[in-house]
Amino acid sequence: MVFWGAVSRRWVLVVWVFLSAAVFNPAGAAEGKTDALTLVLQWNHQSQFAGYYMALEKGFYKDAGLDVTILRGGSDVRADRLMAQRRADFCSAMLPTALEMRKTGLPLVLLAQLVNRSNFQLVAWKRPEGSDGPAVLEPSDLDGLRVTVWEKNFRSPYLSFFRGWGVRPAILPQYYTLSLFLHRGAAACSVMRYNEYHTLLQNGVSPEELTVFNLWEMGVNLPEDGLYCRADTWQQRPDVCRRFVRATLAGWRYARDHRKETLDVVMGYIHREKLPTNRPHMAWMLDEILKSIFPAKDEAWTFGVLSRQSFRATTQLLQHQGRIDTPPAYEDFVKMEAAQ
């Protein structure tokens, strides 16, 4: 009786462990299968991508049965080419960029819209010609002045802003530095709220010296970073896509709730890559990017979701500028069910 009692208890323990694994392991992990996948970012490692880092660091991807490799972006990385060649399974991209990629034949679909509130700003010297010169306080004051604007995919919001306010500045190309503006060779320049604006402050520019035009408050609010894959990836591996999206969103929630820890992880990526930035700048970027991902009480968007209205406004703007032809249908392009 003692022997059989011990055996029975042992079998109860084995069954309990087996059932616990089945209940508590996330989808994919229960079968002991790990799906390998690669994500390519749209720029160098920085706080802009903190949610992906935290999903990897905290084991959210692993718990979802995923073995994720994160590739940096940058001026020397062609994310569209990596996706076209299937050397990357997922990519981070701005909504206008992804729509233009589709125009070139890369069939991207959107799985989750992360940055719903735009960060595009136009920053002007309040007195571009010195203390005795005319002031720049309104968009109309930019008429005829030298303004530097980014090229390619980052150009559209500014062209829409100028057209909407009836402004005709002398537009100069802007690349990867703010030196022309800092040396007062231009009256205004393009910046992102979470990045270049703070760079100006770190270069000794006082906010009182500047007039800042927030494009999202002036009629141009283009959704930015989203998570994309190829249409055939979604069709053939929907379960992998869903697990990847859910784990990524969990990573962003963790980044929001644990900012110091997240900043430590971000700086680890930066130090390994020997990137020319600093912790205060990354802290600013993290706080600002989170404001544009998670809506405040008075903001209308939903975390992770691209609304039909925002999609329509973006496609209409790009069509007006001749950057895309016939846009895809919302249902064909937006796969919000990946987060469900």
Coordinates of all heavy atoms in Angstrom, one line a residue, residues 96 118 120 122 139 142 149-150 152-169 171 190 213-222 312-323:
P96 N 3.8 56.9 -44.3 CA 4.0 57.4 -45.7 C 5.1 56.6 -46.4 O 5.0 56.3 -47.6 CB 4.4 58.8 -45.6 CG 3.9 59.3 -44.3 CD 4.0 58.0 -43.4
S118 N 2.0 62.7 -34.7 CA 3.2 63.1 -35.4 C 4.1 63.8 -34.5 O 3.7 64.5 -33.5 CB 2.8 64.0 -36.6 OG 3.9 64.5 -37.2
F120 N 6.6 65.8 -36.2 CA 7.3 66.7 -37.1 C 7.1 68.2 -36.6 O 6.0 68.6 -36.3 CB 6.7 66.6 -38.5 CG 7.1 65.4 -39.3 CD1 6.3 64.3 -39.4 CD2 8.4 65.4 -39.9 CE1 6.8 63.2 -40.1 CE2 8.8 64.3 -40.6 CZ 8.0 63.2 -40.7
L122 N 8.6 72.4 -37.4 CA 9.5 73.3 -38.1 C 9.9 74.3 -37.1 O 9.1 74.9 -36.4 CB 8.7 74.0 -39.3 CG 9.6 74.8 -40.2 CD1 10.4 73.8 -41.1 CD2 8.8 75.7 -41.1
P139 N 3.4 81.3 -39.4 CA 3.8 80.7 -40.7 C 4.0 81.7 -41.8 O 5.0 81.5 -42.6 CB 2.7 79.7 -41.0 CG 2.1 79.4 -39.6 CD 2.2 80.6 -38.9
L142 N 7.4 83.2 -42.7 CA 8.5 82.4 -43.4 C 8.5 82.6 -44.9 O 9.5 82.1 -45.5 CB 8.2 80.9 -43.1 CG 8.3 80.4 -41.7 CD1 7.7 79.0 -41.6 CD2 9.8 80.4 -41.3
V149 N 14.7 71.6 -45.5 CA 13.7 70.5 -45.4 C 14.3 69.2 -45.8 O 15.0 69.1 -46.7 CB 12.4 70.8 -46.3 CG1 11.4 69.7 -46.2 CG2 11.8 72.1 -45.8
W150 N 14.0 68.2 -45.0 CA 14.4 66.8 -45.4 C 14.0 66.4 -46.7 O 12.9 66.9 -47.2 CB 13.9 65.8 -44.3 CG 14.7 65.9 -43.0 CD1 16.0 65.8 -42.8 CD2 14.1 65.9 -41.7 NE1 16.3 65.9 -41.5 CE2 15.2 65.9 -40.8 CE3 12.8 66.0 -41.2 CZ2 14.9 66.0 -39.4 CZ3 12.6 66.0 -39.9 CH2 13.6 66.0 -39.0
K152 N 13.0 63.2 -49.7 CA 12.4 62.0 -49.8 C 11.1 61.8 -48.9 O 10.3 62.7 -48.9 CB 13.3 60.8 -49.7 CG 14.5 60.8 -50.7 CD 15.4 59.6 -50.5 CE 16.5 59.6 -51.6 NZ 17.4 58.5 -51.4
N153 N 11.1 60.7 -48.1 CA 9.9 60.4 -47.4 C 9.6 61.3 -46.2 O 8.4 61.3 -45.7 CB 10.1 59.0 -46.8 CG 10.3 57.9 -47.8 OD1 9.7 57.9 -48.9 ND2 11.2 57.0 -47.6
F154 N 10.5 62.2 -45.8 CA 10.3 63.1 -44.7 C 9.9 64.5 -45.2 O 9.7 65.4 -44.5 CB 11.5 63.2 -43.9 CG 11.8 61.9 -43.1 CD1 12.6 60.9 -43.7 CD2 11.4 61.8 -41.8 CE1 12.9 59.8 -43.0 CE2 11.6 60.6 -41.1 CZ 12.4 59.6 -41.7
R155 N 9.7 64.6 -46.5 CA 9.5 65.9 -47.1 C 8.0 66.3 -47.1 O 7.6 67.4 -47.0 CB 10.0 65.9 -48.6 CG 10.1 67.3 -49.2 CD 10.8 67.1 -50.6 NE 10.9 68.4 -51.3 CZ 11.9 69.2 -51.1 NH1 12.9 68.9 -50.2 NH2 12.0 70.4 -51.7
S156 N 7.1 65.2 -47.3 CA 5.7 65.4 -47.5 C 5.0 66.3 -46.4 O 4.2 67.2 -46.8 CB 5.0 64.1 -47.6 OG 5.4 63.4 -48.7
P157 N 5.3 66.1 -45.1 CA 4.5 66.9 -44.1 C 4.8 68.4 -44.3 O 3.9 69.2 -44.1 CB 5.1 66.4 -42.8 CG 5.6 65.0 -43.1 CD 6.1 65.1 -44.5
Y158 N 6.1 68.7 -44.6 CA 6.4 70.1 -44.7 C 5.8 70.8 -45.9 O 5.3 71.9 -45.9 CB 8.0 70.3 -44.7 CG 8.5 69.8 -43.4 CD1 9.1 68.5 -43.3 CD2 8.5 70.6 -42.2 CE1 9.6 68.0 -42.0 CE2 9.0 70.1 -41.0 CZ 9.5 68.9 -40.9 OH 10.0 68.4 -39.7
L159 N 5.8 70.1 -47.1 CA 5.2 70.6 -48.3 C 3.7 70.8 -48.0 O 3.1 71.8 -48.5 CB 5.4 69.7 -49.4 CG 6.9 69.4 -49.9 CD1 6.9 68.5 -51.1 CD2 7.6 70.8 -50.2
S160 N 3.1 69.9 -47.3 CA 1.6 70.1 -47.0 C 1.4 71.3 -46.0 O 0.5 72.0 -46.2 CB 1.1 68.8 -46.3 OG -0.2 68.9 -46.0
F161 N 2.3 71.4 -45.1 CA 2.2 72.6 -44.2 C 2.4 73.9 -44.9 O 1.6 74.8 -44.7 CB 3.3 72.4 -43.1 CG 3.5 73.6 -42.2 CD1 2.6 74.0 -41.3 CD2 4.7 74.4 -42.4 CE1 2.8 75.1 -40.5 CE2 4.8 75.6 -41.6 CZ 3.9 75.9 -40.6
F162 N 3.4 74.0 -45.8 CA 3.5 75.2 -46.6 C 2.3 75.5 -47.4 O 1.8 76.7 -47.5 CB 4.8 75.2 -47.4 CG 6.1 75.0 -46.6 CD1 7.1 74.2 -47.1 CD2 6.3 75.7 -45.4 CE1 8.3 74.1 -46.4 CE2 7.4 75.6 -44.7 CZ 8.5 74.8 -45.2
R163 N 1.8 74.5 -48.1 CA 0.7 74.7 -49.0 C -0.6 75.1 -48.2 O -1.3 76.0 -48.6 CB 0.4 73.4 -49.8 CG -0.7 73.5 -50.8 CD -1.1 72.2 -51.5 NE -1.7 71.3 -50.6 CZ -1.2 70.2 -50.1 NH1 0.1 69.9 -50.5 NH2 -1.8 69.4 -49.3
G164 N -0.8 74.4 -47.0 CA -2.0 74.7 -46.2 C -2.0 76.1 -45.7 O -3.1 76.7 -45.5
W165 N -0.8 76.7 -45.4 CA -0.7 78.0 -44.9 C -0.3 79.1 -45.9 O -0.1 80.2 -45.6 CB 0.3 78.0 -43.7 CG -0.3 77.3 -42.5 CD1 -0.2 76.0 -42.2 CD2 -1.0 77.9 -41.4 NE1 -0.9 75.7 -41.1 CE2 -1.4 76.9 -40.5 CE3 -1.4 79.2 -41.1 CZ2 -2.1 77.1 -39.4 CZ3 -2.1 79.4 -39.9 CH2 -2.5 78.4 -39.1
G166 N -0.3 78.7 -47.2 CA 0.0 79.6 -48.2 C 1.4 80.2 -48.1 O 1.6 81.4 -48.5
V167 N 2.4 79.5 -47.7 CA 3.7 80.0 -47.5 C 4.6 79.5 -48.6 O 4.6 78.3 -49.0 CB 4.3 79.5 -46.1 CG1 5.7 80.0 -45.9 CG2 3.4 79.9 -45.0
R168 N 5.5 80.4 -49.1 CA 6.4 80.0 -50.2 C 7.8 80.4 -49.7 O 8.4 81.4 -50.2 CB 6.1 80.7 -51.5 CG 4.7 80.3 -52.0 CD 4.5 80.9 -53.4 NE 3.2 80.4 -54.0 CZ 2.8 80.8 -55.2 NH1 3.5 81.6 -55.9 NH2 1.6 80.3 -55.6
P169 N 8.5 79.5 -48.9 CA 9.8 79.8 -48.5 C 10.8 79.3 -49.6 O 10.4 78.6 -50.6 CB 10.0 78.9 -47.3 CG 9.1 77.7 -47.6 CD 7.9 78.3 -48.3
I171 N 13.2 76.8 -50.3 CA 13.5 75.5 -49.7 C 14.9 75.0 -50.1 O 15.3 74.9 -51.3 CB 12.5 74.5 -50.0 CG1 11.1 74.9 -49.5 CG2 12.8 73.1 -49.5 CD1 10.0 74.0 -49.9
S190 N 13.9 71.6 -40.4 CA 13.0 70.5 -40.0 C 13.6 69.8 -38.8 O 14.8 69.6 -38.7 CB 13.0 69.5 -41.2 OG 12.6 70.1 -42.4
F213 N 6.8 75.5 -34.7 CA 5.6 75.1 -35.4 C 5.4 73.6 -35.3 O 6.1 72.9 -35.9 CB 5.5 75.6 -36.8 CG 5.8 77.1 -37.0 CD1 7.0 77.5 -37.5 CD2 4.8 78.0 -36.7 CE1 7.2 78.9 -37.7 CE2 5.0 79.3 -36.9 CZ 6.2 79.8 -37.4
N214 N 4.4 73.2 -34.4 CA 4.1 71.8 -34.3 C 3.1 71.4 -35.4 O 2.0 71.8 -35.4 CB 3.4 71.5 -33.0 CG 4.4 71.8 -31.8 OD1 5.6 71.5 -31.9 ND2 3.8 72.3 -30.7
L215 N 3.6 70.7 -36.4 CA 2.8 70.4 -37.6 C 1.5 69.7 -37.2 O 0.5 69.9 -37.8 CB 3.6 69.6 -38.6 CG 4.4 70.4 -39.6 CD1 5.4 71.4 -39.0 CD2 5.1 69.5 -40.7
W216 N 1.6 68.8 -36.2 CA 0.4 68.1 -35.8 C -0.7 69.0 -35.2 O -1.9 68.6 -35.1 CB 0.7 66.9 -34.8 CG 1.2 67.4 -33.5 CD1 0.5 67.6 -32.3 CD2 2.6 67.6 -33.1 NE1 1.3 68.0 -31.3 CE2 2.6 68.0 -31.8 CE3 3.8 67.5 -33.8 CZ2 3.8 68.3 -31.1 CZ3 5.0 67.8 -33.1 CH2 5.0 68.2 -31.8
E217 N -0.4 70.2 -34.8 CA -1.3 71.1 -34.3 C -1.8 72.1 -35.4 O -2.7 72.9 -35.1 CB -0.8 71.9 -33.1 CG -0.5 71.0 -31.9 CD 0.2 71.8 -30.8 OE1 0.8 72.9 -31.0 OE2 0.2 71.3 -29.6
M218 N -1.2 72.0 -36.5 CA -1.4 73.0 -37.6 C -1.9 72.3 -38.9 O -1.7 72.7 -40.0 CB -0.2 73.8 -37.9 CG 0.4 74.4 -36.6 SD 1.8 75.5 -36.9 CE 0.8 77.0 -37.4
G219 N -2.7 71.2 -38.7 CA -3.3 70.6 -39.8 C -2.6 69.4 -40.5 O -3.1 68.9 -41.5
V220 N -1.4 69.1 -40.1 CA -0.6 68.0 -40.7 C -0.2 67.0 -39.6 O 0.8 67.1 -39.0 CB 0.6 68.5 -41.4 CG1 1.3 67.4 -42.2 CG2 0.3 69.7 -42.4
N221 N -1.1 66.0 -39.4 CA -0.8 65.0 -38.4 C -0.7 63.6 -39.0 O -1.7 62.9 -39.1 CB -1.9 65.0 -37.3 CG -1.5 64.1 -36.1 OD1 -0.4 63.8 -35.9 ND2 -2.5 63.7 -35.4
L222 N 0.5 63.3 -39.5 CA 0.7 62.0 -40.2 C 1.1 61.0 -39.2 O 2.1 61.2 -38.5 CB 1.7 62.1 -41.3 CG 1.4 63.0 -42.5 CD1 2.5 63.0 -43.5 CD2 0.1 62.5 -43.2
R312 N -6.9 57.5 -44.4 CA -7.4 58.3 -45.5 C -6.7 59.6 -45.7 O -6.4 60.0 -46.8 CB -8.9 58.5 -45.4 CG -9.6 59.2 -46.5 CD -11.1 59.1 -46.5 NE -11.6 59.7 -45.2 CZ -12.1 59.0 -44.2 NH1 -12.2 57.7 -44.3 NH2 -12.6 59.6 -43.1
A313 N -6.5 60.3 -44.5 CA -5.8 61.6 -44.6 C -4.4 61.5 -45.2 O -3.9 62.3 -45.9 CB -5.8 62.3 -43.2
T314 N -3.7 60.4 -44.8 CA -2.3 60.2 -45.2 C -2.3 59.9 -46.7 O -1.5 60.4 -47.5 CB -1.7 59.1 -44.4 OG1 -1.7 59.4 -43.0 CG2 -0.2 58.9 -44.9
T315 N -3.2 59.0 -47.2 CA -3.2 58.6 -48.6 C -3.6 59.8 -49.5 O -3.0 60.0 -50.6 CB -4.1 57.4 -48.8 OG1 -5.4 57.7 -48.4 CG2 -3.6 56.2 -48.1
Q316 N -4.5 60.6 -49.0 CA -4.9 61.8 -49.8 C -3.8 62.8 -49.9 O -3.6 63.4 -51.0 CB -6.1 62.5 -49.1 CG -7.4 61.7 -49.3 CD -8.6 62.3 -48.5 OE1 -8.4 63.2 -47.7 NE2 -9.8 61.8 -48.8
L317 N -3.0 63.0 -48.8 CA -1.9 63.9 -48.9 C -0.8 63.4 -49.9 O -0.3 64.2 -50.7 CB -1.3 64.0 -47.5 CG -0.1 65.0 -47.3 CD1 -0.1 65.6 -45.9 CD2 1.2 64.4 -47.6
L318 N -0.5 62.1 -49.8 CA 0.5 61.5 -50.7 C 0.0 61.6 -52.2 O 0.8 61.8 -53.1 CB 0.8 60.1 -50.3 CG 1.5 60.0 -48.9 CD1 1.7 58.5 -48.6 CD2 2.9 60.7 -48.9
Q319 N -1.3 61.3 -52.4 CA -1.8 61.4 -53.7 C -1.7 62.8 -54.3 O -1.3 63.0 -55.4 CB -3.2 60.9 -53.8 CG -3.4 59.4 -53.8 CD -4.9 59.1 -53.9 OE1 -5.7 59.3 -53.0 NE2 -5.3 58.5 -55.1
H320 N -2.0 63.8 -53.4 CA -2.0 65.2 -53.9 C -0.6 65.6 -54.3 O -0.4 66.4 -55.2 CB -2.5 66.1 -52.7 CG -2.6 67.5 -53.1 ND1 -3.7 68.1 -53.8 CD2 -1.7 68.6 -52.9 CE1 -3.4 69.3 -54.0 NE2 -2.3 69.7 -53.5
Q321 N 0.4 65.0 -53.6 CA 1.8 65.4 -53.9 C 2.4 64.5 -55.0 O 3.6 64.6 -55.4 CB 2.7 65.3 -52.7 CG 2.3 66.3 -51.6 CD 3.1 66.3 -50.4 OE1 4.0 65.4 -50.3 NE2 2.8 67.1 -49.4
G322 N 1.6 63.5 -55.5 CA 2.1 62.7 -56.6 C 3.0 61.6 -56.1 O 3.8 61.0 -56.9
R323 N 3.0 61.3 -54.8 CA 4.0 60.3 -54.3 C 3.4 58.9 -54.4 O 4.2 57.9 -54.3 CB 4.4 60.7 -52.8 CG 5.0 62.1 -52.7 CD 5.5 62.3 -51.3 NE 6.8 61.6 -51.1 CZ 8.0 62.1 -51.5 NH1 8.1 63.3 -52.0 NH2 9.1 61.4 -51.3

